Amino acid sequence: MIVGCRERLAARARCLGLDAAYSAPICGGGKSEVKETMSARADIFGRSGQGVRTSSAAASEFIRELTSGMSHEERLAQVQWLARMLDDRFAVPGTRIRFGWDAILGLFPGLGDALTSVLSLIIVHHAWQTGASPLTLVRMLGNVAVDFLVGSIPFLGDLFDVAFKANRRNARLLEQHLNRHSKRAKYRFGN
């Protein structure tokens, strides 16, 4: 599995115009490679503001390039992991109540909710990349919007985040879309 991960990262690094050696530490490379990776990140994102991507078009292009070539299974696994981190990472001892980084970061007014909403939009991006219907995308964006707007209310919004779990809902919507997509493909090809 690590070999496959390194190969995918090397291909993405080549696509971004980087040396493939820079991507190895992400999958468990040695300490000597870490210095190269840090300098590579500085080369990608710029040093002292030089070469920094500032337009939204460049940012969306960067995300598109970063996630290109992912299979539907890889996208779903990443979405489920992100939803777990944001909505269900921690448990209140002795209860069935679970919460994640969405509720914790929401304690910081404005900035926390904005940050978690951006992370939630990654889930919507994956759904868009898999060809989800416009209705599914609107439902997902509605979940993110409700989470952001109600979550912006101090303290009460955080309680809402614990109960609403917008990211889990969006992960479920993506999973349903992919299940429908795979059933249609099996029906067409007779498998």
Side-chain angles (χ1 to χ4, degrees):
M1 178 157 165
I2 290 177
V3 173
C5 181
R6 284 188 178 159
E7 291 169 357
R8 281 194 307 276
L9 288 172
R12 288 187 186 141
R14 283 190 302 275
C15 184
L16 293 171
L18 300 174
D19 184 17
Y22 290 140
S23 61
I26 296 171
C27 293
K31 290 182 180 178
S32 63
E33 296 170 335
V34 172
K35 291 179 184 174
E36 292 177 359
T37 302
M38 297 305 271
S39 65
R41 287 185 185 148
D43 290 340
I44 294 170
F45 297 111
R47 292 188 182 130
S48 304
Q50 298 173 351
V52 175
R53 297 173 185 243
T54 55
S55 72
S56 62
S60 67
E61 180 183 328
F62 176 75
I63 290 173
R64 193 175 315 114
E65 288 174 0
L66 193 62
T67 61
S68 68
M70 291 178 75
S71 69
H72 291 327
E73 291 81 16
E74 289 173 324
R75 286 183 190 282
L76 182 61
Q78 188 177 44
V79 162
Q80 289 173 336
W81 177 84
L82 186 58
R84 253 192 326 274
M85 290 295 116
L86 289 172
D87 289 342
D88 292 332
R89 176 69 175 104
F90 308 104
V92 176
T95 67
R96 297 181 68 205
I97 299 172
R98 299 193 62 81
F99 61 96
W101 288 107
D102 190 7
I104 294 170
L105 292 173
L107 292 170
F108 299 100
L111 182 64
D113 291 308
L115 177 64
T116 57
S117 293
V118 168
L119 293 173
S120 296
L121 289 175
I122 293 173
I123 295 173
V124 178
H125 170 75
H126 280 301
W128 175 66
Q129 288 288 315
T130 61
S133 71
L135 178 63
T136 301
L137 294 174
V138 167
R139 289 177 66 190
M140 294 175 99
L141 288 170
N143 287 337
V144 173
V146 167
D147 187 47
F148 175 73
L149 293 174
V150 178
S152 298
I153 301 170
F155 190 66
L156 292 176
D158 299 313
L159 293 176
F160 177 78
D161 282 340
V162 170
F164 186 63
K165 301 190 185 304
N167 300 298
R168 278 291 194 196
R169 291 171 186 252
N170 286 345
R172 221 176 352 241
L173 285 171
L174 177 61
E175 188 173 9
Q176 289 170 355
H177 159 70
L178 292 176
N179 285 339
R180 282 191 308 266
H181 180 72
S182 67
K183 286 179 185 175
R184 273 190 246 138
K186 285 181 182 178
Y187 178 73
R188 283 185 195 146
F189 297 114
N191 292 335

